[in-house]
Amino acid sequence: MNGWQTLLKKEVLRFWKVSFQTVAAPVLTAVLYLLVFGHVLEGRVLVYDRISYTAFIIPGLVMMSILQNAFANSSSSLVQSKIMGSMVFVLLTPLSHWAWFSAYVGAAMLRGLLVGVGVFLVTLFFAVPDFAAPLWIIAFALLGAAIMGTLGVIAGLWADKFDQMAAFQNFLIMPLTFLSGVFYSIHSLPAFWQNVSHLNPFFYMIDGFRYGFFGQSDVSPWTSFAIVGCAWLVISALAVHLLRIGYKIRN
């Protein structure tokens, strides 16, 4: 294997060695969300025609799990390496910033997608959503995981301790995820909050992903794909630049 593949394998093994915590636990969390919200709100929340509320929230839960776990993987890996001092062993290698980027983002995407598949398989016991446009499902799953893995790299480089990373996740990632339409359609909101929701980039990831299942969405999937794609390019450019200059990892 060449350098970036070796680093990728190391990052994959890092989360796979504790897969009960990094994969199984998030799946259980998503199922608990489904049980609580599906039981309480089934028949009380209006969503798309002919679609039950339980089926409606399954794609949202799958994408939410992908996003949160992709971010957690790359960010926690970098912060842990800096705190434990093991970062120096990676810095000693002649790996380019592109190799770092590919390995950390690739491992984050893999973890996010593994959790997403696990959530989807378990939730099939409760409802079976349609597959109106499978290519859109794949496209938004990959792009969403890539964005959050890249954002995790930025957060991991910026944070010097776990408290800072937790603040980044609790005050930015979690609110944006929960307010992105995971548990509701934005058409059920007042006009003002609908406009606010359109400023949330996470909304376009989940809305486009849900379109792949039901063929219905609040925004055109092409619009969502363009916005999410442009966001990933901007975030990736920033992450690659920070890796290139060794932000907070090279003296």
Side-chain angles (χ1 to χ4, degrees), residues 31 52 101 152:
V31 172
S52 68
F101 178 81

Side-chain angles (χ1 to χ4, degrees), residues 30-90:
V31 172
L32 291 175
Y33 279 128
L34 179 65
L35 290 174
V36 173
F37 283 91
H39 176 72
V40 173
L41 299 179
E42 182 70 47
R44 301 185 182 185
V45 177
L46 297 176
V47 290
Y48 306 139
D49 296 335
R50 71 175 174 78
I51 298 174
S52 68
Y53 179 73
T54 300
F56 173 83
I57 65 174
I58 285 177
L61 288 173
V62 172
M63 179 56 90
M64 182 180 74
S65 301
I66 292 174
L67 300 180
Q68 291 180 348
N69 285 276
F71 174 84
N73 195 77
S74 53
S75 59
S76 63
S77 178
L78 286 167
V79 172
Q80 187 180 43
S81 296
K82 289 198 289 186
I83 293 175
M84 296 180 64
S86 59
M87 177 68 72
V88 64
F89 298 110
V90 183

Side-chain angles (χ1 to χ4, degrees), residues 2-212:
N2 58 31
W4 79 267
Q5 290 174 330
T6 304
L7 183 57
L8 174 63
K9 180 180 179 181
K10 172 254 183 187
E11 286 300 306
V12 172
L13 290 175
R14 189 190 71 87
F15 77 78
W16 190 250
K17 287 290 185 180
V18 287
S19 57
F20 190 79
Q21 174 186 347
T22 57
V23 179
V27 172
L28 176 60
T29 301
V31 172
L32 291 175
Y33 279 128
L34 179 65
L35 290 174
V36 173
F37 283 91
H39 176 72
V40 173
L41 299 179
E42 182 70 47
R44 301 185 182 185
V45 177
L46 297 176
V47 290
Y48 306 139
D49 296 335
R50 71 175 174 78
I51 298 174
S52 68
Y53 179 73
T54 300
F56 173 83
I57 65 174
I58 285 177
L61 288 173
V62 172
M63 179 56 90
M64 182 180 74
S65 301
I66 292 174
L67 300 180
Q68 291 180 348
N69 285 276
F71 174 84
N73 195 77
S74 53
S75 59
S76 63
S77 178
L78 286 167
V79 172
Q80 187 180 43
S81 296
K82 289 198 289 186
I83 293 175
M84 296 180 64
S86 59
M87 177 68 72
V88 64
F89 298 110
V90 183
L91 290 171
L92 288 173
T93 63
L95 295 176
S96 68
H97 52 280
W98 285 108
W100 281 54
F101 178 81
S102 301
Y104 281 101
V105 175
M109 291 177 64
L110 183 58
R111 174 179 165 183
L113 293 172
L114 280 174
V115 174
V117 170
V119 172
F120 178 73
L121 292 177
V122 174
T123 54
L124 288 177
F125 291 100
F126 301 92
V128 181
D130 300 327
F131 293 90
L135 290 180
W136 281 120
I137 296 174
I138 297 172
F140 278 102
L142 292 174
L143 198 52
I147 284 182
M148 297 310 294
T150 305
L151 194 60
V153 169
I154 296 174
L157 292 173
W158 168 78
D160 295 316
K161 51 186 178 179
F162 284 110
D163 291 348
Q164 293 177 329
M165 188 188 71
F168 195 98
Q169 188 163 10
N170 293 333
F171 294 101
L172 181 64
I173 303 302
M174 289 290 287
L176 290 177
T177 302
F178 274 88
L179 298 177
S180 59
V182 173
F183 302 103
Y184 56 86
S185 169
I186 66 167
H187 287 308
S188 63
L189 301 175
F192 171 78
W193 291 109
Q194 289 188 36
N195 294 329
V196 172
S197 296
H198 283 91
L199 301 177
N200 182 358
F202 287 42
F203 158 73
Y204 297 99
M205 300 184 217
I206 291 176
D207 194 59
F209 187 71
R210 184 175 280 133
Y211 176 86

